[in-house]
Amino acid sequence: MNLILLGAPGSGKGTQALRLSKEFNIPHISTGDIFREAVLTGTDLGKKAKVFMDKGKLVPDEIVVGIVKERLEKLDAKDGFLLDGFPRTILQAFALKDELAKLDKKLKAVIDIEVGEQELIGRMTGRRVCVDCKKVYHLIFEPPENQDYCDACSGRLIQREDDKIDTVRNRLVIYTEQTKPLIDYYKKEGVLHSINGEQDVENVFKDIITAIKGEYE
Ligand code: ADP
Ligand code: AMP
């Protein structure tokens, strides 16, 4: 099963992707995670990506597309994948379409998680991430026992540089200009499901499952 999670930054894509990838036993492919890992390990890719990420800008299409193509051709994506944070531009969506045709794969569903702007700002600015195991918390909605340390591994919790308020605003403008048009694109392709993302995590998950199962019937 091949799925895409669409939605603004902070809408809950990563949170739902963890659950969906377990539920359907498919790899969770997050371009944001791939770039953050590259930044951390100091690779050439990381150095290039960091310049854009720190400003809340999109990494150029030619870089992102190459990485995703390579990732989709790995063995573990043979029977399905869950894309989180890709595509983010029309050009990326076209490139994905070509790649899927080449691999003889079809998209099952594109899930758009809908969340209003004020809520998105609150979710991003309150997000905290473990530096070691990368577990994601929210200071209000999913608080750790101790706000500085991870419940799971005792690693230090940090705020992502791009979750600071000024960068958050840039990311939302870029989302509206460059990524939102994909909703119409996938609607026309007949694969889009819009989900109310302003519910608790469990109910968002249930709605996504219902939408995907509907696809099967
Ligand atoms: P994205 O991957 O789309 O950027 P995340 O999954 O990281 O978003 O979620 C952003 C923040 O909002 C995180 O701190 C997460 O714990 C929190 N969050 C995710 N889903 C919900 C929800 N349904 N209700 C409240 N908070 C949520
Ligand atoms: P995310 O974790 O999905 O919010 O992504 C964090 C940052 O990584 C984004 O703000 C971009 O700078 C970069 N990024 C992630 N995915 C993409 C993509 N598909 N296209 C361009 N840039 C991306």
Side-chain angles (χ1 to χ4, degrees):
M1 165 155 38
N2 306 318
L3 301 172
I4 294 178
L5 281 181
L6 215 58
S11 58
K13 299 183 297 299
T15 302
Q16 296 300 328
L18 278 182
R19 287 166 171 74
L20 290 165
S21 129
K22 274 194 199 129
E23 176 81 16
F24 297 114
N25 196 22
I26 50 177
H28 168 204
I29 303 175
S30 154
T31 40
D33 285 350
I34 293 172
F35 289 135
R36 276 184 291 279
E37 188 59 34
V39 170
L40 216 68
T41 48
T43 61
D44 279 352
L45 170 68
K47 283 176 196 147
K48 274 187 209 150
K50 189 174 189 309
V51 179
F52 299 96
M53 292 170 84
D54 282 352
K55 293 186 193 132
K57 290 187 174 172
L58 293 183
V59 175
D61 287 333
E62 59 273 22
I63 298 180
V64 192
V65 164
I67 284 166
V68 173
K69 280 187 179 176
E70 219 173 86
R71 183 65 188 83
L72 290 179
E73 289 172 18
K74 288 204 172 151
L75 203 61
D76 68 339
K78 185 173 61 74
D79 297 325
F81 56 77
L82 172 60
L83 281 170
D84 158 10
F86 182 94
R88 257 173 153 107
T89 64
I90 282 289
L91 200 142
Q92 291 179 16
F94 289 162
L96 177 64
K97 189 173 181 161
D98 288 347
E99 177 68 8
L100 294 182
K102 185 183 125 190
L103 298 174
D104 198 22
K105 289 180 189 293
K106 248 187 101 183
L107 279 178
K108 269 287 172 209
V110 176
I111 306 291
D112 178 35
I113 307 179
E114 293 184 325
V115 174
E117 185 163 314
Q118 278 317 307
E119 176 76 13
L120 289 171
I121 292 173
R123 287 199 191 171
M124 279 189 272
T125 52
R127 172 161 50 192
R128 294 294 181 271
V129 186
C130 173
V131 287
D132 292 333
C133 74
K134 313 287 183 281
K135 188 170 159 60
V136 174
Y137 295 87
H138 190 282
L139 291 181
I140 297 163
F141 306 125
E142 216 179 318
E145 269 181 38
N146 176 322
Q147 74 162 23
D148 296 320
Y149 296 101
C150 177
D151 293 347
C153 77
S154 305
R156 206 161 44 83
L157 296 184
I158 55 153
Q159 182 176 39
R160 276 168 48 175
E161 205 47 50
D162 61 351
D163 276 345
K164 297 189 173 153
I165 186 67
D166 288 343
T167 317
V168 159
R169 290 195 203 285
N170 287 345
R171 290 164 72 201
L172 289 175
V173 170
I174 286 173
Y175 166 75
T176 303
E177 289 174 357
Q178 304 207 45
T179 310
K180 224 173 169 183
L182 295 184
I183 296 176
D184 259 357
Y185 171 75
Y186 284 117
K187 211 179 266 172
K188 285 186 189 130
E189 297 269 304
V191 284
L192 188 89
H193 298 272
S194 296
I195 302 290
N196 172 10
E198 294 201 13
Q199 315 174 73
D200 62 33
V201 171
E202 273 319 309
N203 281 312
V204 175
F205 180 66
K206 274 188 200 148
D207 282 3
I208 295 177
I209 295 290
T210 304
I212 294 172
K213 295 241 160 100
E215 269 307 296
Y216 278 128
E217 285 154 14

